[in-house]
Amino acid sequence: MTMLKKQLRPAIVLTLVLCLLTGAVYPGVVTGIAQLLFPRQANGSLVTVDGRVVGSELIGQAFKLPGYFHSRSSAAGADGYDASASIATNKGPTDLKLADTLIAGAVERAVQEDGAVKGKIPTDMVTTSASGLDPHISPANAALQVARVARARGVSEADVRALLTRRIEGRQFGFFGEPRVNVLLLNIALDSAYGRPARQP
Amino acid sequence: MTINGWLQIGFYGLCLLLVAKPLGLYLVRVYDGSMRWLGPVERLIYRVSGIDPAEDQHWTRYAGGMLLFSVVSMLFTYLALRLQHILPLNPQQFPAVADRQAFETAASFTTNTNWQSYSGETTMSYFSQMTQLAFHNFISAAVGVACAVGLVRGIARKSAGRLGNFWADTVRGTLYVFLPVSLIGALLLVQQGVIQNFRPYVEVTTLEGAKQVLAMGPAASQVAIKQFGSNGGGFFNMNSAHPFENPTPWSNFIEMFALLAIASGLIWMFGDMVKKRAHGWAVWAASFIIFAGGVATAYWSEARGNPIHAERGIDVVASEVQPGGNMEGKEVRYGIANSALWATATTAASNGSVNAMHDSFTPLAGLVPIVNMQLGEVVFGGVGAGLYGILMMVLLTVFIAGLMVGRTPEYLGKRIQAREVQMVMLYVLVFPAAILTLTAISSVLAPGLAGRNNAGPHGLSEILYAFTSTAANNGSAFAGITGTTYYYNTLLGLNMLIGRFAMIVPMLAVAGFLAEKKVAPESAGTFPVTTPLFVVLLVSVILIVGALTFFPVLSLGPIVEHLLMGAGRLF
Amino acid sequence: MTATKRPLFDPPIVRRAVRDAFVKLAPRHMVRNPVMFVVLLGSLATTVVLARQALGGGTGVGFTLQLTLWLWFTVLFANFAEAMAEGRGKAQADTLRASRTQTKARRVERPADRESATLVPATELRLGDTVLCLPGDIIPGDGEVIDGVASVDESAITGESAPVIRESGGDRSAVTGGTKVLSDFIVVRISANPGETFLDRMIALVEGASRQKTPNEIALTILLSGLTIVFLFAVVTLQPFAIYSGTSVSVPVLVALLVCLIPTTIGGLLSAIGIAGMDRMIQQNVIAMSGRAVEAAGDVNTLLLDKTGTITLGNRQAVEFMPVKGVTIPELADRAQLASLPDETPEGRSIVVLAKQQFNLRGRPLGDAPGQEHMAFVPFSAATRMSGVDVGAVQLRKGAADAIAKWVRDGNGQVPSEITPIVEGIARVGGTPLVVAERRDGVTRVLGAIYLKDIVKGGMKERFDRLRAMGIRTVMITGDNPLTAASIAQEAGVDDFLAEAKPEDKMALIKREQAGGKLVAMTGDGTNDAPALAQADVGVAMNSGTQAAKEAGNMIDLDSNPTKLIEVVEIGKQLLMTRGSLTTFSIANDVAKYFAIIPAMFMATYPALKALNIMGLHSSESAILASVIFNALIIIALIPLALRGVRYRPAGAASILRRNLWIYGVGGLLIPFVGIKAIDVALVLLRLV
C-alpha cells in the first residue's frame, strides 16, 4: 500500500504536468511559429479567384460540368468531396458492388463520355480515392478528358492539351511520389484562359 | 512495379539505416541521464511530482509505476471526453463523446493503439485532440520506450536486479526525444501544407458553386507526434490519406520516415547499452529482412492489380502517366509504391496511421499488414514496444537454438532458465489467446458479423484485422468495419488493454530476472548472436512462431481470397 | 558394474519396453508430460466419437478408426521411447542387484578385539557398526577401513578385475559393499544403513527411480507446453472460422490437426533423451548422482585438472645427466645408477634405465659392484630428503639440491657454484633436479645433477585443443613451483595453471571462477578434496577415493580415471544438443503438416485452396491420415537418435549450430514433405483410404 501511495503522486501530478506541456504548450508553440512562418499553409492553402475563396488547393472538389476536368470518384459525403467527412469505400478486392457497380459503372461512363477504350483506362479514373478528397488525377486520366473539355468549351483540343501539359506536376524533387495534375488548379487555369464554362452539362 | 518505385523504397531503407547510429547515440545519452539541456524543466517536473530520479527500481516497482500512470491518465482522458461539451476550444460545438466510445478511445490512446472508431473531424473538439489525444501520443510513446529501456538495462546489468527509474525514463523520453523531434517534424509538415490553426471550419463555394466545408484545426502538431510516437491516430478520419494531414509526396516521406526512425535508433541504442553493437546490428538486419520481404510482397501484389477489375476495363500496367495497379482507396500523389511501403511500415511499427485504405488492398498486400502485426510488430516495431517485442523473440530464439550448441542457452552471458522461458511464453501466448478467441467469437455472433463491410473471406479478414490491430496496439484497420457499437467498442477496448499490459508485465518480469543474473564471459562455446546465421535464425523463429499460429485463419481469410480473386469470384 | 555394450534394440529390453508403454498410459504418469497428455485426451475424444459413429452406423467409420488407432500409437510410441531408455538402465540395475548376494557379516564390538566377532546378516548392520572382513568375505556394506590392510576385488562395482589395496587412514580407506576381500584382513566401520548404500543408490540411479526433471528439461517443458497452448488456440478457434466459411470440421480431424501441430516429437522423446544421457554416463562407468549434474557438465566453462595422474604420468623420469666440471657424463651416469640400484621408486628405476640406454651400463646386481664390497641401501626419509647407497667406504647420495648441499658441507666438501645454474635450468624447463654427490676417501664432492622430467600423457594437447574449441578453459592444479608448473602447462597445452596449490587455493579458485559466472568441473579423490568437490558445479569423485570425496562429488568415476572429465563434459553437451536439435526439428515439421491438413479441411468449401496442396496428396482423408501417421512414426524413427544422442564433434558453437541447423532445422522443414507424400502414396496403394 505504501508503494501505491508513493507512486500515486507522480502518476497524478505527471499526468497533469505532461498534459499541460504536450497538450497546450507544445501545440501552442507549433501554432505560433507556423502562423508566423507559413501562414498560408497553416490555414489550409486556400485558393482565391477574384478575391473569393473557392477552396483549398490541397482538397479535391467535385466537378460535374463537361467543360471541367473531373476529379476521381469520392466516397466522402452523399455527393462526394465533403471536406468535413473524409472517407473511402473500404470495399475489398472481391466485393461485388465495387467490381460490378462502382468500377464497371465508372468504366461505362469513361467509355461514353470520353471515348475511353476498355482495357486502356487509367486506374485512378475509375477507382475511388482513400480520403475521398484526392485533389489529383493522373496525367493519363487528364489526357483522356481533354477532348470532352475542349468540345464543351468550344476550343481546340491542342490548346487544352497544351494548358494541361503545363499543369502536370512531376515527381517532387524529381523523385518522390507520382506524376499528377491538380484538378482544381487546372480548372481555374482553364477558366482564366477561356472563361467559365456553360452551366448546362 | 516501376524502377522509380523501387528506388523510393530503397531510399527509405537507406534513410532508416543512416539514422540508426546518430539517433541511437542520442538515445543512449538521454536514458543514461547525461542529456541535460532541459535540466531546469526536468528538475521542476521531478520536484512537483515527487520523483527521485536516482531511485533505482525493482521490476515490480517499475511495472507498478507504469500501470498506475496508465490507469490515472486513462481515467483522466475518459473524463475529459465525457465532458467535452463543457470544455473550451470546441468551435464546432461537438457533444460529449458517448460512454463506450470514450472508454474505447481512452484505452486506445493510453495503450498507444490509436484505434479510432470515431471520425476525428466530426467527433473531437480541438481541446480533446490536443490535451487528450496528442498528450497520450506523447506519454504512451515515452512509456513504451521506458519499458524497453528497462528491459535493455535488465539484459545489460550484472547481478543488479534493478531496472532504473520508470518516472525519470518517461519524463526524459518526453522532454528530450518526443517533444523536440515533434516540434521539428510539425514545422516541416506545415511548410508542406499540413494545417495548424484554431479556426472554425471554413465554408467555401467551389468552382461549380457547391458548398464545401473545410475541416480545420491544429493538425500538424498532432500528426508529427502520431508518427514519431508510433501512435497513428489521425487528426482526420482518413488519417494520413487526408490531404490536410499529408499533402505532398515529401510530407509523405517525412511522415513515413518518422514512424520508423526512432525504432531504428532504439535498436542501435540497445546494441550500445549491452556493449555489443554488432548484436544490435544483427537485430536491425533481422528487422530489415522481414520488412523488405513485406514491402516486396505488398508492392508486387498492389502493382499487379486486381484481375477482376482489370477484366472490367482497367489498365493495370504502370507508366509515366498513370499509376496502374490497384488504385482503389489510394491517393494519386503517393501512387502504388508509397502506399505499399507505408502499409508495411505502419504495421511493422505499432503505428497504424494509413495513407491508403488497407481494406481495399489486394488480398496478399492486405495479408502483409496483418502478418506484420501478428508477428508482434517486432520489425523495427513501435517505439519501445517493437524493441522489447523483438528482444522477447531473441530470447526465444536463443533458448530454442541455444540448446543446439550443447549448453544451457545463454544470452549475452546470461543463462535463460525456466523462469525466463515461462514469462516469455506468457508474452507469446497473449496474441493467439486474444486475437484468435475474439476473432472466432465475432465471426459467428450476430453483433460481430454485423460490423462487416464486406462479405465472404474478406469479411473474416476485416474482423481478424480489427482484433489483430487492437491486440497489437497498432490502430490501423480494414476500415470498412463498423466499430461504433457496444459490442466492438467494448471488446476492442479490452483487447487493447490486454495487448498492452498483459505483455508489458511479463516482459518487465523477464527484465527483472535477467538483471539479477551473473554474466558468464564469452567463449568459443557461446551461442553466437552477431553472425548472419543468427539473423537467419531470428527471422525464422519470428516467422514460424508468429505465422504458424495464425496460418489456419489466414488461409480462410486473405489467402483463400487471393486464390478466389484469381478465379474471378465475387461476394 | 560390467559395462557390456548392448545393442540399441536388445530384444529383452524391447519386450519389457512394449509392456511398459501400456503401463505408462496411467494418467498419473502422463500428466507429467503436458504435450503427450494432450495427445492422450485427444485420443480419448476421438475414441468416443468413433464409438458413437460405430453404434450409429454412420459413414466414415473406417477413417475414424484408422485415425484413432494412429493417435493411440502416437501416445504409445512416446511411452515406448521412454520405456526403452529406462529399460537399458533397468537391465543394468538387474545386473547390479544380482551381485548383491545375501551376505553374513562378522560384527565385532571393539575394533581391536578381533576375537569377539559374531556372525549377523548384513541387513542387520547399522551405521557405526564395525565388522571384520577376512579373505574370501564379501564386504557387507559401505564403510571406512579403520584397521588393517587388504587387497580387495571391486570388479562387481567397477568391472575392473585387478585388485586394489584398501587400508586404514589416508585416501584409500573407503570400501564399498558387495566387493570381496582377497587377502589379509580389514576392520571396517559401516557408514551407511541398509538400503542407503552406494550399491543401492547406484541401482536406483541407473533404474531412473529417483529421476527428477532437470532445470533445462523444466524450461523446455514450459516452452513445449506454451507452444501446445498456442496451437490449442489455433485449432479450437478453427471451428468458428469454419462455420463462418460455411462448413464445419469433425472432432477427429481437429484432434488430428492439433496432434500434428503440437511438438509431439520432442515432447515424446524428451524424457528418453534425459534418461539416455545418464545411461551414456554409465556406459563410461561414471555414475551421475542426478540429471542436473549431467546437464551442468555440458555447461562447464572451466576444467580443473590435477597435474599428476591426469595430465602427466604419475611419475617422473630421468632424461639427462648433467655433470659439474671435472666429472664426465658416463662417470655421473655410473654413480647415479649405482646410487639408484636398490631404489624401487619409478624415478629410481628410470635413472637405472637411462644410464643403461645411454652408456650401456648394466644394472649391476647387488653385491656385484666394483670390489664386490657390501652394498647398503640408504632409503629416502623426510628428514634427510635424499637416498643412496653405501658401498664399502664409498657413500653415494642423490636428492634435493639443498639437502645434498648440506650433506656435502657436513662432509667438509665444497659445493661448486656451477651446480646452481644447472639446477635452476632444469627447474625452469619443468624438470625436477636431483643432485648426486659422492663421499670417497673422506672427500665429499658434488658430481652433477639428474634431470627428472614430468611426462605429459600422450594426446593431451589435442584433447585440450578440442576443449578450447568448445570454449572450455583448462586449468592445471599442481604442487610444483610456478616455474615448473608453467613449463608443464605449456607442454601439455592447458590454458592456465595453479602452482604450489594447497586445497584451500583450489577452493578459492573455484569460487573466483563461479563469481565470474562460470561453471567449474573438477576431479578429486582425497578427503581434502571434498570441500572443493562439493563447491564445484561438476565434481567427479574417483571411486578409489575416500568416502568423504565420494559424498561430496555429484559424479563418481568407477574407473578412477581423472581424464574422463573430458568425456563427461562431452556427454553433457551431447544431451543438451540432442534436446535442442529435436525441438527445432519438431517445430520445423509443422510447416509441412499445415500444407497437408489445411487444404484437406477446406477444399470442399473453397476448391481454390487446392493450390495449397503442394504435395498433391490424394484426398482429404489420405492427407490427414498421412500427417498423423508421419507424426507417429517419426517418434519411433527418432528413438535411436534420442538414445544415442546427436552426433557430436568438438567444435565452436558457431559451427555446431550451423551443422545442426542444416540437419534438424532445414531437414525438419523438408523431411515431412517427403514423408507425408510417401505415406499418402502407400495409403492409396494399400487401399486404406
Side-chain angles (χ1 to χ4, degrees):
Chain A
M1 270 330 275
T2 53
M3 176 167 150
L4 185 72
K5 242 186 261 167
K6 265 188 85 174
Q7 302 240 68
L8 202 56
R9 179 172 160 208
I12 293 171
V13 179
L14 213 51
T15 297
L16 297 173
V17 170
L18 291 183
C19 179
L20 189 73
L21 194 62
T22 65
V25 175
Y26 159 72
V29 169
V30 173
T31 309
I33 301 176
Q35 291 290 341
L36 201 68
L37 296 180
F38 315 111
R40 193 182 106 78
Q41 292 98 312
N43 293 319
S45 307
L46 300 179
V47 183
T48 46
V49 173
D50 307 331
R52 189 175 61 87
V53 177
V54 296
S56 162
E57 72 167 79
L58 298 178
I59 302 291
Q61 298 186 356
F63 291 100
K64 298 197 176 68
L65 296 176
Y68 281 130
F69 284 90
H70 293 173
S71 300
R72 299 181 63 194
S73 304
S74 162
D79 303 319
Y81 290 94
D82 181 342
S84 62
S86 57
I87 196 144
T89 64
N90 281 312
K91 286 298 183 188
T94 55
D95 188 80
L96 186 66
K97 187 182 166 210
L98 175 62
D100 285 352
T101 310
L102 298 177
I103 288 179
V107 165
E108 280 316 310
R109 275 196 305 283
V111 170
Q112 281 171 15
E113 292 173 8
D114 301 319
V117 180
K118 274 195 188 180
K120 292 285 171 203
I121 300 174
T123 47
D124 65 300
M125 196 171 189
V126 291
T127 51
T128 310
S129 66
S131 60
L133 303 172
D134 194 342
H136 299 113
I137 55 177
S138 70
N141 179 349
L144 265 176
Q145 300 186 42
V146 165
R148 186 198 70 227
V149 171
R151 200 165 54 242
R153 285 178 176 262
V155 294
S156 85
E157 276 187 37
D159 288 349
V160 176
R161 181 160 291 119
L163 192 139
L164 164 65
T165 309
R166 280 198 302 277
R167 302 236 48 113
I168 290 176
E169 300 171 41
R171 295 193 167 88
Q172 201 168 7
F173 312 135
F175 183 66
F176 294 109
E178 299 294 330
R180 61 204 180 278
V181 182
N182 186 305
V183 183
L184 177 61
L185 297 182
L186 175 62
N187 285 336
I188 290 173
L190 271 179
D191 279 359
S192 74
Y194 309 114
R196 300 173 67 78
R199 295 222 62 86
Q200 197 59 32
Chain B
M1 292 184 281
T2 62
I3 290 171
N4 173 270
W6 282 116
L7 285 178
Q8 291 194 52
I9 292 169
F11 181 72
Y12 180 72
L14 184 69
C15 289
L16 285 185
L17 176 70
L18 292 178
V19 80
K21 183 170 176 181
L23 198 55
L25 272 170
Y26 181 77
L27 289 164
V28 169
R29 300 202 52 213
V30 167
Y31 287 99
D32 70 13
S34 57
M35 195 57 72
R36 290 276 162 77
W37 58 276
L38 282 172
V41 182
E42 189 186 349
R43 281 192 295 277
L44 182 68
I45 294 176
Y46 293 149
R47 199 157 57 242
V48 297
S49 317
I51 295 166
D52 171 15
E55 181 209 8
D56 209 356
Q57 295 172 328
H58 187 256
W59 77 265
T60 47
R61 201 170 167 78
Y62 201 91
M66 182 275 300
L67 287 174
L68 209 55
F69 188 40
S70 301
V71 168
V72 168
S73 59
M74 181 176 159
L75 280 176
F76 176 63
T77 294
Y78 177 79
L79 285 176
L81 294 181
R82 297 289 291 144
L83 299 174
Q84 174 172 273
H85 55 297
I86 56 171
L87 288 166
L89 278 178
N90 187 2
Q92 300 306 114
Q93 307 197 333
F94 292 128
V97 180
D99 51 0
R100 57 173 200 274
Q101 182 70 67
F103 156 74
E104 190 200 47
T105 304
S108 177
F109 280 77
T110 305
T111 58
N112 196 263
T113 309
N114 294 23
W115 171 271
Q116 297 164 296
S117 53
Y118 60 89
S119 165
E121 60 265 45
T122 58
T123 315
M124 295 293 170
S125 70
Y126 296 164
F127 182 86
S128 300
Q129 295 266 27
M130 279 165 37
T131 66
Q132 299 307 319
L133 307 187
F135 153 67
H136 270 295
N137 282 352
F138 277 99
I139 63 162
S140 65
V143 166
V145 179
C147 290
V149 169
L151 175 61
V152 175
R153 288 200 192 108
I155 294 169
R157 289 181 173 182
K158 295 169 188 175
S159 318
R162 305 277 151 155
L163 303 182
N165 188 293
F166 168 75
W167 303 110
D169 287 339
T170 303
V171 170
R172 285 174 185 151
T174 310
L175 281 185
Y176 294 110
V177 182
F178 292 106
L179 274 172
V181 296
S182 299
L183 186 69
I184 297 166
L187 293 174
L188 286 174
L189 291 176
V190 175
Q191 192 270 331
Q192 284 295 300
V194 179
I195 56 175
Q196 179 72 20
N197 60 58
F198 291 100
R199 295 164 60 185
Y201 292 1
V202 175
E203 189 178 296
V204 298
T205 308
T206 66
L207 271 197
E208 287 200 348
K211 295 279 176 230
Q212 191 181 36
V213 176
L214 302 174
M216 289 285 137
S221 55
Q222 193 163 334
V223 171
I225 181 59
K226 83 156 184 185
Q227 295 304 102
F228 276 114
S230 64
N231 302 280
F235 191 86
F236 300 106
N237 190 36
M238 281 299 105
N239 210 300
S240 280
H242 195 293
F244 274 165
E245 272 198 55
N246 189 7
T248 65
W250 173 234
S251 71
N252 186 64
F253 182 81
I254 294 171
E255 291 181 19
M256 271 197 305
F257 175 71
L259 77 80
L260 283 185
I262 291 182
S264 176
L266 277 170
I267 298 179
W268 193 92
M269 174 202 80
F270 155 72
D272 188 71
M273 282 176 72
V274 300
K275 304 214 165 40
K276 212 173 182 68
R277 290 184 184 176
H279 176 52
W281 281 119
V283 172
W284 197 96
S287 287
F288 187 77
I289 288 170
I290 303 179
F291 180 73
V295 176
T297 308
Y299 185 30
W300 169 79
S301 181
E302 285 302 282
R304 193 169 149 264
N306 184 334
I308 297 175
H309 297 170
E311 204 178 286
R312 302 293 187 276
I314 291 181
D315 179 9
V316 294
V317 180
S319 70
E320 266 306 293
V321 290
Q322 74 116 349
N326 171 29
M327 282 298 287
E328 178 65 27
K330 290 188 184 60
E331 302 279 294
V332 170
R333 59 193 178 282
Y334 318 134
I336 305 286
N338 281 310
S339 301
L341 178 59
W342 184 299
T344 311
T346 196
T347 49
S350 68
N351 189 291
S353 63
V354 293
N355 76 347
M357 292 301 108
H358 298 182
D359 212 349
S360 297
F361 272 15
T362 50
L364 290 186
L367 177 82
V368 169
I370 299 180
V371 170
N372 262 347
M373 294 186 285
Q374 287 170 344
L375 296 182
E377 285 168 347
V378 298
V379 183
F380 296 111
V383 290
L387 180 58
Y388 64 67
I390 200 163
L391 290 180
M392 291 290 109
M393 289 296 128
V394 168
L395 286 173
L396 201 60
T397 305
V398 171
F399 183 75
I400 294 174
L403 280 172
M404 266 195 289
V405 305
R407 293 175 72 91
T408 294
E410 231 171 56
Y411 179 51
L412 300 178
K414 295 188 168 183
R415 258 170 254 281
I416 304 175
Q417 288 160 312
R419 282 203 309 179
E420 291 78 45
V421 174
Q422 195 171 14
M423 288 300 158
V424 171
M425 284 319 285
L426 269 181
Y427 182 95
V428 168
L429 265 177
V430 173
F431 265 21
I435 296 174
L436 287 175
T437 310
L438 293 175
T439 308
I441 294 170
S442 304
S443 64
V444 287
L445 291 186
L449 291 168
R452 293 171 306 155
N453 187 44
N454 284 269
H458 197 79
L460 183 60
S461 303
E462 279 182 339
I463 301 173
L464 175 66
Y465 199 115
F467 287 106
T468 305
S469 171
T470 46
N473 295 158
N474 184 278
S476 68
F478 270 11
I481 199 157
T482 307
T484 49
T485 58
Y486 272 102
Y487 181 85
Y488 275 114
N489 278 156
T490 311
L491 282 189
L492 293 172
L494 287 173
N495 202 28
M496 295 175 217
L497 296 173
I498 293 169
R500 174 90 163 175
F501 301 113
M503 296 179 89
I504 287 188
V505 173
M507 180 280 294
L508 284 177
V510 172
F513 297 161
L514 287 177
E516 291 167 8
K517 286 180 189 275
K518 285 188 225 163
V519 177
E522 200 176 325
S523 74
T526 308
F527 183 82
V529 290
T530 54
T531 57
L533 185 68
F534 170 75
V535 175
V536 173
L537 203 56
L538 177 57
V539 169
S540 315
V541 168
I542 291 172
L543 291 180
I544 286 185
V545 170
L548 277 186
T549 318
F550 296 101
F551 187 76
V553 64
L554 290 174
S555 63
L556 290 177
I559 294 175
V560 78
E561 193 191 13
H562 169 74
L563 298 169
L564 293 173
M565 179 181 79
R569 178 90 186 272
L570 292 171
F571 292 89
Chain C
M1 174 190 340
T2 45
T4 48
K5 289 275 174 222
R6 289 171 198 284
L8 208 53
F9 288 97
D10 197 23
I13 295 179
V14 172
R15 271 196 297 279
R16 176 146 68 171
V18 169
R19 198 187 64 224
D20 285 353
F22 286 90
V23 176
K24 283 171 183 287
L25 284 178
R28 183 173 44 81
H29 174 265
M30 293 295 299
V31 82
R32 275 171 54 102
N33 183 341
V35 179
M36 295 318 292
F37 188 65
V38 168
V39 182
L40 178 74
L41 294 182
S43 310
L44 286 171
T46 313
T47 310
V48 171
V49 174
L50 175 68
R52 288 197 1 217
Q53 264 185 358
L55 292 175
T59 54
V61 178
F63 171 70
T64 313
L65 175 67
Q66 290 188 60
L67 206 55
T68 310
L69 283 177
W70 281 105
L71 290 174
W72 281 110
F73 283 149
T74 310
V75 184
L76 288 171
F77 289 170
N79 286 349
F80 175 72
E82 190 182 278
M84 276 296 295
E86 286 173 352
R88 297 165 62 77
K90 277 182 180 160
Q92 262 147 342
D94 288 348
T95 321
L96 280 178
R97 244 190 228 104
S99 75
R100 187 172 57 176
T101 43
Q102 188 58 34
T103 48
K104 294 271 183 192
R106 297 171 214 274
R107 186 162 62 192
V108 292
E109 297 308 320
R110 289 176 304 280
D113 186 6
R114 286 193 267 131
E115 309 310 315
S116 67
T118 48
L119 274 181
V120 295
T123 48
E124 280 185 16
L125 291 174
R126 289 294 175 270
L127 191 78
D129 283 350
T130 43
V131 293
L132 171 68
C133 301
L134 298 176
D137 282 0
I138 301 284
I139 297 174
D142 294 358
E144 191 187 346
V145 179
I146 52 175
D147 192 15
V149 53
S151 60
V152 177
D153 172 10
E154 294 196 335
S155 61
I157 303 288
T158 64
E160 176 62 55
S161 55
V164 294
I165 300 296
R166 290 288 175 249
E167 61 190 343
S168 64
D171 288 349
R172 294 192 293 180
S173 64
V175 289
T176 311
T179 56
K180 192 176 182 181
V181 176
L182 296 179
S183 69
D184 307 289
F185 79 94
I186 44 175
V187 178
V188 174
R189 184 188 290 126
I190 296 298
S191 60
N193 286 322
E196 297 166 10
T197 64
F198 182 60
L199 197 62
D200 292 311
R201 268 193 305 170
M202 223 165 101
I203 291 170
L205 282 169
V206 297
E207 226 172 13
S210 57
R211 212 178 89 77
Q212 284 181 323
K213 282 200 175 125
T214 57
N216 266 315
E217 208 177 342
I218 293 171
L220 193 52
T221 305
I222 292 171
L223 175 86
L224 299 178
S225 308
L227 288 176
T228 304
I229 299 172
V230 165
F231 286 119
L232 211 52
F233 278 113
V235 171
V236 170
T237 55
L238 198 50
Q239 189 69 291
F241 297 140
I243 292 169
Y244 177 94
S245 309
T247 178
S248 78
V249 186
S250 71
V251 170
V253 171
L254 282 178
V255 171
L257 177 62
L258 177 65
V259 169
C260 284
L261 293 181
I262 63 177
T264 49
T265 313
I266 178 66
L269 294 173
L270 186 56
S271 59
I273 294 170
I275 298 166
M278 290 188 67
D279 188 57
R280 278 199 300 282
M281 285 285 184
I282 291 166
Q283 311 262 329
Q284 292 283 348
N285 260 1
V286 175
I287 305 289
M289 295 304 177
S290 65
R292 181 189 282 262
V294 181
E295 234 172 44
D299 285 341
V300 160
N301 304 83
T302 309
L303 281 189
L304 302 191
L305 298 170
D306 279 323
K307 184 196 80 176
T308 308
T310 309
I311 294 171
T312 61
L313 295 169
N315 32 50
R316 305 179 175 111
Q317 288 182 0
V319 290
E320 195 179 350
F321 298 108
M322 305 171 96
V324 294
K325 204 181 275 174
V327 181
T328 62
I329 296 179
E331 194 181 351
L332 174 61
D334 176 70
R335 297 299 188 281
Q337 190 187 44
L338 193 57
S340 308
L341 274 180
D343 186 353
E344 290 295 321
T345 63
E347 286 86 359
R349 284 193 198 152
S350 77
I351 294 169
V352 176
V353 169
L354 181 70
K356 181 174 154 189
Q357 283 171 346
Q358 287 195 342
F359 306 104
N360 205 20
L361 294 169
R362 309 227 17 114
R364 288 142 291 192
L366 295 181
D368 195 24
Q372 296 290 325
E373 285 149 307
H374 174 71
M375 193 182 239
F377 180 46
V378 181
F380 179 85
S381 84
T384 61
R385 290 191 295 136
M386 55 189 178
S387 67
V389 289
D390 293 345
V391 186
V394 180
Q395 291 174 307
L396 289 169
R397 294 291 181 273
K398 65 182 198 308
D402 51 341
I404 295 292
K406 184 174 179 293
W407 184 73
V408 171
R409 274 192 292 270
D410 287 351
N412 292 321
Q414 288 290 318
V415 179
S417 60
E418 56 185 293
I419 193 71
T420 315
I422 295 178
V423 165
E424 279 179 359
I426 294 171
R428 199 172 308 118
V429 295
T432 307
L434 216 52
V435 179
V436 182
E438 179 191 52
R439 186 176 291 164
R440 184 193 289 265
D441 309 329
V443 179
T444 310
R445 61 170 184 151
V446 171
L447 299 172
I450 308 168
Y451 173 10
L452 291 180
K453 192 180 177 193
D454 264 313
I455 303 299
V456 173
K457 284 183 179 174
M460 292 311 285
K461 204 176 173 70
E462 291 69 34
R463 302 197 76 168
F464 295 139
D465 287 344
R466 269 164 63 180
L467 288 170
R468 198 169 303 113
M470 289 186 270
I472 297 171
R473 220 164 61 91
T474 42
V475 180
M476 181 182 81
I477 311 285
T478 172
D480 292 341
N481 65 59
L483 224 57
T484 311
S487 156
I488 297 172
Q490 199 195 1
E491 187 183 345
V494 295
D495 298 287
D496 204 353
F497 63 88
L498 181 66
E500 289 169 353
K502 296 183 286 294
E504 56 269 29
D505 294 338
K506 212 178 202 176
M507 188 72 171
L509 175 65
I510 293 174
K511 284 188 172 157
R512 202 160 56 239
E513 293 281 309
Q514 286 173 336
K518 294 179 184 171
L519 263 62
V520 182
M522 66 167 284
T523 59
D525 53 1
T527 300
N528 56 18
D529 283 334
L533 278 173
Q535 178 71 31
D537 301 280
V538 177
V540 183
M542 300 294 103
N543 189 49
S544 60
T546 60
Q547 198 63 32
K550 282 153 88 172
E551 291 289 340
N554 50 13
M555 288 192 198
I556 294 176
D557 179 16
L558 299 176
D559 296 341
S560 305
N561 169 9
T563 322
K564 212 181 288 163
L565 201 48
I566 296 170
E567 272 90 25
V568 167
V569 167
E570 293 186 349
I571 290 170
K573 287 200 170 295
Q574 201 186 21
L575 167 76
L576 296 174
M577 279 165 55
T578 309
R579 279 199 198 126
S581 300
L582 289 186
T583 305
T584 306
F585 183 84
S586 198
I587 296 173
N589 269 210
D590 281 3
V591 176
K593 293 170 188 167
Y594 265 131
F595 279 101
I597 297 185
I598 294 292
M601 280 176 163
F602 299 108
M603 260 190 310
T605 323
Y606 293 126
L609 273 178
K610 72 171 180 292
L612 294 184
N613 181 12
I614 52 180
M615 284 171 270
L617 302 179
H618 173 257
S619 65
S620 296
E621 295 187 341
S622 75
I624 292 165
L625 260 182
S627 305
V628 173
I629 294 172
F630 175 84
N631 194 54
L633 290 182
I634 197 76
I635 296 179
I636 288 287
L638 290 175
I639 287 178
L641 186 73
L643 297 188
R644 279 202 204 103
V646 300
R647 218 179 107 215
Y648 176 78
R649 238 186 0 214
S655 70
I656 292 178
L657 180 66
R658 194 175 311 114
R659 182 170 172 276
N660 285 342
L661 264 184
W662 271 108
I663 300 176
Y664 300 99
V666 178
L669 210 59
L670 300 180
I671 288 169
F673 280 103
V674 180
I676 291 172
K677 176 69 185 173
I679 295 170
D680 180 76
V681 170
L683 285 174
V684 174
L685 287 177
L686 296 171
R687 295 178 194 283
L688 286 169
V689 285

